[in-house]
Amino acid sequence: MDKEQKSLLVQKIDETLLNAIYSCRDANKLFDLARHYGCFHWFNLTDHWSHPDLENHIFNLIESRLPHFTPSENRTTVTHVLSEGYDTGGHTPLCVNLVKEQKAHNDDVELIITRSATQNIIDDLRKAQVPIKSSPATGVAQMLQLAQAFMQSKAVILHINPDDIITCLAVMIAERQGIPCYFVNHANIHFAYGPSQCSAILEITASSWLSSQQYRHPKSQSFLGIPASDLDIEALQKYGKADIVIDSPYFISVGTPLKYRFGSSNDFLEFIEFLCGKMKQKLLLIGPGDHAALASLSADARENLIAKGPIPREQTLALMANAKAYIDSFPECGGTSVVNAMRIGLPVFGFRQSEGMYGEDFLAESFDQLCQKIKDFLSKGYDQDIIKTRRNFIKTELSIQACCDRLNKTIEGQMCPIPYEFDPNKIDLDYYHKKWLETDDLYIPPAIKINKSS
């Protein structure tokens, strides 16, 4: 289907879901429909970034039936809320590292998991003696449990999935009782529930800051950043490579399959063909694994590509520390791995899509320019002053401690600015929406039937 047809279909599904929501009077069904609405705009990268009117509508429907909530006196606990915790991606370590850092400084901190987390995440938090709570209930019961938990909190920090309407509603209860809540903007290119309801949005990049200003109606904003892992680089370089044996210098790239978008984009495949096929360079690709799209590569490219699925974070960092350069993922760029690569001191290369991270001089303005940058690096090396400047900035401004300090300042009422310069004219906030419109990708919620008889 063409762009116009796809836009019309999105509009139809959006209207269908909204009509169902606005006509529903059963709270649990209402929450479920709202979750489907959030998933629809989250998974599809539509141009819908938030819907505070919908959040307010649902809250107004249930407000008269809510019990009375009274905040406890002398509250000291900072409550972090995580919808789901994974062993891969950057969302979970951002949350976990902040909580562990606060705990290490003897702050009164806890974590509530509203859906699920892997055993590795649970074990890591328990080892750090972070109190963990879960909310096994669903629907109205879960909302009430969360709201009551928030009544014991000095502040609430949200690391929630974009479709988590239940936590959003619990936050609205807390905010109305004078308990400040803060939304960590992990979903800076997606729709999300909650940002406009919170006392402030905690931004992770310059692009997330700009997108909130344009699309999310924030009460206030404060810069948090993407914290780099605490690294002993020399120890990482000595760390065994386990079952991954690479007998020559290699480039490395790390990301979930979604970031490379092999199902809807050939951009990164073309780059692999250039780097591994034409330039005969080794590339260790961690995350996508044996993706079907990689079968289309030439024999030379496949020979020099080492594709792995998710592996433990410590091993990933060790492999990064032993690489000769880092390749940022694209079409979707940026994230924790780029920050860690800079902290390690790797040369970093990428293709500009929509960005706003620190040090993005590594981004090429075109695919051809990216390829030329790689050629120049292979023949001339890399400017060590740039590497040193990046590494020092990450160490001082984007360490876990620095990000945690900004979080604590925000909780105390001091909104933190972005600590680096950026060019807003180079940040295309609509980039991912426009690229999504060019594909046939369309997630239709199971609650919706399109062109089917009822």
Side-chain angles (χ1 to χ4, degrees):
M1 69 186 118
D2 60 28
K3 292 181 181 180
E4 183 177 354
Q5 291 173 322
K6 193 168 185 179
S7 294
L8 289 172
L9 187 52
V10 167
Q11 182 180 350
K12 179 178 180 180
I13 297 172
D14 178 90
E15 290 176 351
T16 301
L17 281 168
L18 287 178
N19 287 337
I21 289 170
Y22 287 131
S23 62
C24 183
R25 292 298 178 268
D26 179 280
N28 286 315
K29 289 181 180 179
L30 182 63
F31 293 176
D32 196 44
L33 287 168
R35 181 180 59 81
H36 284 305
Y37 183 87
C39 286
F40 173 65
H41 288 292
W42 168 22
F43 295 158
N44 285 316
L45 294 176
T46 70
D47 59 352
H48 289 55
W49 295 65
S50 65
H51 203 324
D53 289 342
L54 176 61
E55 296 163 358
N56 292 330
H57 166 79
I58 296 173
F59 186 83
N60 290 337
L61 284 180
I62 65 173
E63 185 176 21
S64 63
R65 290 177 279 173
L66 292 174
H68 180 69
F69 289 94
T70 303
S72 299
E73 296 182 1
N74 303 318
R75 301 182 309 278
T76 60
T77 303
V78 174
T79 299
H80 291 255
V81 184
L82 179 68
S83 297
E84 297 174 348
Y86 296 108
D87 296 336
T88 59
H91 179 119
T92 302
L94 192 159
C95 170
V96 170
N97 286 339
L98 287 175
V99 176
K100 289 167 59 179
E101 183 71 18
Q102 288 181 306
K103 183 62 179 178
H105 285 79
N106 296 317
D107 293 341
D108 185 359
V109 64
E110 67 178 6
L111 177 68
I112 297 177
I113 300 171
T114 65
R115 296 181 182 174
S116 64
T118 66
Q119 192 60 49
N120 287 337
I121 300 303
I122 299 297
D123 291 345
D124 189 26
L125 290 164
R126 285 176 175 165
K127 183 179 179 181
Q129 298 184 324
V130 174
I132 306 172
K133 298 178 180 178
S134 62
S135 182
T138 59
V140 173
Q142 185 182 53
M143 179 193 67
L144 296 176
Q145 286 180 358
L146 289 171
Q148 187 57 50
F150 297 165
M151 293 302 108
Q152 322 304 316
S153 304
K154 172 185 176 181
V156 177
I157 315 299
L158 302 182
H159 307 263
I160 60 175
N161 287 6
D163 65 331
D164 197 342
I165 184 65
I166 292 174
T167 302
C168 172
L169 294 168
V171 160
M172 294 172 75
I173 295 172
E175 282 276 344
R176 283 157 175 76
Q177 293 299 324
I179 297 171
C181 302
Y182 303 94
F183 183 93
V184 180
N185 193 8
H186 295 274
N188 59 315
I189 67 170
H190 301 284
F191 173 93
Y193 284 126
S196 64
Q197 307 296 342
C198 290
S199 292
I201 302 178
L202 297 167
E203 306 292 0
I204 60 173
T205 64
S207 58
S208 79
W209 189 290
L210 294 179
S211 67
S212 288
Q213 288 184 339
Q214 185 162 333
Y215 299 112
R216 293 200 169 95
H217 320 285
K219 296 176 184 176
S220 188
Q221 291 173 275
S222 187
F223 187 78
L224 176 67
I226 301 174
S229 299
D230 287 333
L231 304 176
D232 183 337
I233 297 171
E234 291 186 3
L236 285 173
Q237 289 172 339
K238 296 177 182 178
Y239 184 88
K241 296 188 176 102
D243 63 332
I244 302 177
V245 179
I246 308 174
D247 56 5
S248 60
Y250 59 92
F251 291 79
I252 189 170
S253 185
V254 182
T256 62
L258 178 64
K259 299 195 76 173
Y260 301 97
R261 300 194 184 279
F262 291 133
S264 58
S265 171
N266 290 322
D267 288 353
F268 205 84
L269 289 172
E270 291 178 10
F271 176 76
I272 295 174
E273 197 63 62
F274 161 76
L275 184 68
C276 300
K278 182 177 180 180
M279 302 304 295
K280 304 295 190 292
Q281 297 295 309
K282 295 287 186 184
L283 172 63
L284 174 57
L285 183 63
I286 297 176
D290 190 20
H291 196 284
L294 300 176
S296 64
L297 294 168
S298 68
D300 285 342
R302 291 198 302 273
E303 181 178 351
N304 289 304
L305 175 66
I306 306 166
K308 295 290 181 180
I311 62 176
R313 293 187 192 279
E314 185 178 7
Q315 188 182 358
T316 298
L317 291 170
L319 289 164
M320 288 174 65
N322 284 282
K324 65 178 179 180
Y326 186 81
I327 306 297
D328 190 10
S329 56
F330 58 86
E332 188 173 324
C333 308
T336 302
S337 292
V338 179
V339 176
N340 285 336
M342 290 184 182
R343 176 68 184 87
I344 288 170
L346 289 179
V348 182
F349 300 92
F351 179 23
R352 179 178 296 282
Q353 314 289 328
S354 171
E355 262 310 317
M357 292 183 65
Y358 162 74
E360 61 180 33
D361 53 284
F362 69 84
L363 293 173
E365 299 295 333
S366 67
F367 187 85
D368 289 342
Q369 187 184 73
L370 171 60
C371 295
Q372 187 60 52
K373 283 190 172 189
I374 296 293
K375 291 178 180 177
D376 292 343
F377 168 66
L378 292 172
S379 62
K380 304 174 185 177
Y382 206 81
D383 189 331
Q384 292 301 310
D385 287 338
I386 292 177
I387 290 177
K388 183 178 179 180
T389 298
R390 288 177 183 164
R391 186 172 56 226
N392 290 340
F393 180 88
I394 299 298
K395 186 176 180 179
T396 57
E397 296 294 337
L398 289 178
S399 66
I400 296 173
Q401 178 62 60
C403 293
C404 194
D405 287 345
R406 283 193 290 266
L407 173 60
N408 291 332
K409 287 179 181 178
T410 303
I411 292 172
E412 297 303 324
Q414 180 181 339
M415 298 298 107
C416 302
I418 299 172
Y420 57 87
E421 294 183 357
F422 63 96
D423 184 354
N425 295 319
K426 289 186 175 181
I427 301 175
D428 181 2
L429 299 178
D430 294 323
Y431 174 82
Y432 295 107
H433 168 62
K434 290 183 290 189
K435 293 297 290 185
W436 175 77
L437 278 178
E438 295 173 357
T439 73
D440 288 329
D441 297 346
L442 184 63
Y443 164 79
I444 300 177
I448 296 294
K449 295 182 179 180
I450 299 296
N451 295 329
K452 291 184 180 180
S453 58
S454 58

